[in-house]
Amino acid sequence: MLLGLLVLFGASQAFAIDGMIELSVNGDAGQVFSGDCYLKKKRGTEARHRIQGQVPTSIWLPADAVRCNLQKSSVKGQLIVSLKRGEHVEITQKSRYPLKWVVISSRGPWGQPTGGAYAARPVLK
């Protein structure tokens, strides 16, 4: 419920708390996207969550580490995806024409923050 409220009311940095990562999706206004985010807590398994939205948007993810793969609805236009912890931007990844997929991951059990743009849906390992 709290996560839904933070997304609904456009949570500001004042709400930044431990255990939350902000997924910020910007780029060409109106661009529609969808995809999966894999959330990892310090204790527990990775949980897959389906996300979708329209640029610009921010989603607060209750996790210690995240990996997301997002598909933009059109090859035209651009997505700019960032992962933030409080005021600190861990990584920003831009899509590239004609590639539709953007992958981004925070620091976590899989290593340092990384990102990329792809033509086909990548497989997260």
Side-chain angles (χ1 to χ4, degrees):
M1 180 69 174
L2 176 61
L3 177 62
L5 290 174
L6 291 174
V7 172
L8 180 65
F9 293 110
S12 69
Q13 292 298 339
F15 287 105
I17 56 174
D18 288 340
M20 297 288 273
I21 297 174
E22 180 184 0
L23 172 70
S24 176
V25 185
N26 293 292
D28 293 328
Q31 178 76 261
V32 175
F33 66 91
S34 63
D36 298 310
C37 282
Y38 297 82
L39 282 56
K40 176 78 172 135
K41 288 283 203 181
K42 287 180 183 169
R43 295 183 209 121
T45 60
E46 229 174 71
R48 177 180 163 232
H49 295 275
R50 205 63 195 131
I51 62 168
Q52 60 185 9
Q54 186 173 356
V55 170
T57 194
S58 290
I59 301 169
W60 287 89
L61 303 169
D64 296 308
V66 299
R67 299 186 301 169
C68 298
N69 50 3
L70 304 176
Q71 179 184 28
K72 58 184 183 168
S73 60
S74 168
V75 294
K76 295 181 181 179
Q78 186 175 52
L79 284 184
I80 303 168
V81 184
S82 299
L83 293 175
K84 303 177 189 176
R85 293 180 195 261
E87 296 289 329
H88 175 70
V89 176
E90 271 196 25
I91 187 166
T92 297
Q93 179 64 50
K94 295 179 182 179
S95 65
R96 294 190 328 258
Y97 177 84
L99 309 178
K100 290 179 76 172
W101 287 91
V102 175
V103 173
I104 194 165
S105 65
S106 69
R107 72 177 185 274
W110 40 78
Q112 293 301 309
T114 61
Y118 302 91
R121 183 183 179 115
V123 176
L124 297 177
K125 296 179 181 179

